[in-house]
């Protein structure tokens, strides 16, 4: 029963000695290796951050393009709509007195000096 324990202890001591003997580098060499590995890891993380930033930039650009398309679509009259020009000033709204039924696009222009709304 003592033999397996003794054998295990000798085996563990042999492995420890082998591990210590295999790494006979100086503290400076170990530090240099560690710093080199840290530098490599930092470069990897930096490259990943750059790629993530590029992907985010592309997503923002695509979202901006979609938003701009939506705005252009919202303010551009449909091709089949009848165009009605409306002029706003501080005291007036100028537009035709009668409009025919059907699809109509109101194109509003504010010629006054204050902000106006047309609903």
């Amino acid at each position: 029963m003592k033999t397996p324990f003794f054998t295990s202890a000798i085996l563990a001591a042999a492995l420890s000695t082998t591990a210590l003997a295999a790494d006979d580098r100086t503290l400076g060499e170990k530090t240099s290796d560690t710093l080199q590995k840290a530098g490599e890891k930092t470069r990897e993380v930096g490259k990943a951050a750059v790629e993530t930033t590029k992907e985010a930039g592309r997503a923002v650009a695509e979202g901006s393009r979609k938003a701009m398309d939506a705005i252009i679509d919202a303010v551009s009259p449909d091709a089949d709509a009848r165009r009605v020009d409306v002029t706003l000033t501080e005291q007036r709204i100028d537009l035709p007195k009668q409009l025919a039924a059907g699809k109509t696009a109101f194109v509003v222009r504010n010629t006054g000096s204050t902000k106006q709304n047309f609903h």
Side-chain angles (χ1 to χ4, degrees):
M1 192 166 226
K2 291 182 180 183
T3 304
F5 174 75
F6 183 70
T7 306
S8 299
I10 290 175
L11 183 60
L15 290 174
S16 298
T17 305
T18 304
L20 290 175
D23 195 8
D24 57 354
R25 299 176 298 158
T26 66
L27 181 60
E29 291 171 333
K30 291 178 184 178
T31 302
S32 178
D33 288 348
T34 302
L35 289 174
Q36 184 178 358
K37 288 177 185 176
E40 290 169 4
K41 193 61 155 173
T42 301
R43 279 190 290 281
E44 290 173 16
V45 170
K47 286 178 183 178
V50 167
E51 286 303 313
T52 301
T53 302
K54 285 180 182 179
E55 290 172 16
R58 285 190 282 273
V60 168
E62 178 65 17
S64 296
R65 186 191 60 75
K66 287 180 180 179
M68 186 56 115
D69 289 346
I71 290 169
I72 289 170
D73 188 47
V75 298
S76 300
D78 291 343
D80 61 339
R82 186 176 34 265
R83 180 184 171 123
V84 175
D85 290 313
V86 179
T87 304
L88 302 177
T89 62
E90 281 77 19
Q91 302 299 320
R92 288 180 69 122
I93 300 175
D94 292 323
L95 71 148
K97 300 228 184 270
Q98 290 185 343
L99 299 172
K103 196 171 192 179
T104 305
F106 292 95
V107 179
V108 181
R109 184 171 160 223
N110 181 8
T111 59
S113 59
T114 60
K115 182 178 175 180
Q116 304 290 330
N117 292 316
F118 185 80
H119 300 279

